[in-house]
Amino acid sequence: DTGVSQNPRHKITKRGQNVTFRCDPISEHNRLYWYRQTLGQGPEFLTYFQNEAQLEKSRLLSDRFSAERPKGSFSTLEIQRTEQGDSAMYLCASSLDRGRANTEAFFGQGTRLTVV
Amino acid sequence: EDKVVQSPLSLVVHEGDTVTLNCSYEVTNFRSLLWYKQEKKAPTFLFMLTSSGIEKKSGRLSSILDKKELFSILNITATQTGDSAIYLCAVLIRGKLIFGQGTTLQVKP
């Protein structure tokens, strides 16, 4: 399977615990995005990377959230001291940016986080 | 603030009907508008629109962009139950996709 891969698919955690999600993008894609989606809403932008550089982080994103893409390939999203409001589907997407031309973003299957 | 608004939020039709989904946007540095279909998990790509007035077609689905009036429509003709899904519109600006809230389409047999 050469699509975007996310692990784990599901995560249940207790409030206050830290969680980490992984995203493996399509191999030649230089852009990687993280989104959060709750029921009845469209995906909400969290952050994105161009290769290993984190280019933007949502102003709405708490300091408890951090993301990395150390070698410009896979990425991790960590949530520290989870709260019940963090319960959501976390989606990763990747695309190829060629300067003035972009390809569409392809999404992974998501990680569903439930904080109890 | 950049904004993407979709309408209607939900729609129920019968098989064979034609539907039109709307997406309007207020953004700076617009690059492209994209449509996605989301059934259970991951959104799957439908169309990317960059130029005004050029219709893109794929089977029973088609879409067009109006950059002057800042909107796009997605048409589905002869709907089938398999078209039931959330349809998401997103605008690509400054390297990131900003999504609307989606339109939930239910096609009844």
Side-chain angles (χ1 to χ4, degrees):
Chain A
D1 187 350
T2 56
V4 179
S5 174
Q6 290 189 246
N7 288 289
R9 296 288 297 275
H10 302 274
K11 178 73 178 178
I12 301 174
T13 191
K14 289 185 178 178
R15 193 172 47 187
Q17 298 293 304
N18 298 345
V19 294
T20 300
F21 309 142
R22 177 176 169 126
C23 172
D24 288 89
I26 293 171
S27 59
E28 65 269 24
H29 284 183
N30 52 7
R31 284 246 167 113
L32 186 147
Y33 309 83
W34 285 100
Y35 287 85
R36 175 172 61 191
Q37 188 176 25
T38 53
L39 198 62
Q41 300 295 318
E44 174 195 11
F45 171 77
L46 296 180
T47 187
Y48 84 101
F49 294 83
Q50 174 93 1
N51 299 312
E52 66 275 9
Q54 187 172 20
L55 294 190
E56 189 171 339
K57 187 175 172 181
S58 169
R59 289 172 295 145
L60 303 174
L61 205 57
S62 157
D63 289 344
R64 298 183 296 106
F65 287 70
S66 62
E68 293 183 338
R69 195 183 182 197
K71 296 181 181 177
S73 57
F74 74 92
S75 175
T76 57
L77 176 69
E78 182 183 17
I79 310 174
Q80 296 181 322
R81 303 181 303 282
T82 51
E83 301 171 357
Q84 285 188 319
D86 297 331
S87 296
M89 175 74 84
Y90 289 84
L91 293 165
C92 176
S94 71
S95 69
L96 180 63
D97 175 61
R98 298 196 202 99
R100 295 184 69 82
N102 297 93
T103 63
E104 62 273 20
F106 292 88
F107 282 82
Q109 292 295 304
T111 295
R112 179 162 301 280
L113 173 67
T114 303
V115 181
V116 297
Chain B
E1 185 184 337
D2 298 318
K3 194 191 301 187
V4 179
V5 178
Q6 292 185 245
S7 64
L9 293 182
S10 65
L11 192 54
V12 180
V13 301
H14 288 94
E15 272 193 315
D17 288 349
T18 293
V19 297
T20 298
L21 309 183
N22 303 291
C23 176
S24 64
Y25 58 93
E26 293 177 30
V27 303
T28 54
N29 299 302
F30 173 91
R31 289 284 293 271
S32 304
L33 185 144
L34 294 86
W35 285 96
Y36 286 84
K37 177 182 182 182
Q38 186 174 29
E39 291 179 82
K40 287 183 181 173
K41 293 285 174 75
T44 54
F45 172 76
L46 294 175
F47 298 110
M48 176 187 274
L49 303 157
T50 305
S51 302
S52 251
I54 299 173
E55 185 183 52
K56 291 216 171 176
K57 253 180 110 59
S58 176
R60 297 177 293 102
L61 277 67
S62 63
S63 184
I64 197 160
L65 174 67
D66 185 328
K67 288 167 78 170
K68 185 179 176 187
E69 299 297 330
L70 308 183
F71 78 91
S72 173
I73 59 171
L74 175 69
N75 278 321
I76 309 175
T77 58
T79 50
Q80 302 170 357
T81 54
D83 295 326
S84 297
I86 300 171
Y87 290 84
L88 295 165
C89 169
V91 174
L92 180 63
I93 52 171
R94 296 185 300 277
K96 68 188 183 201
L97 287 172
I98 302 298
F99 282 86
Q101 65 273 61
T103 294
T104 300
L105 173 66
Q106 183 184 356
V107 181
K108 291 187 170 180

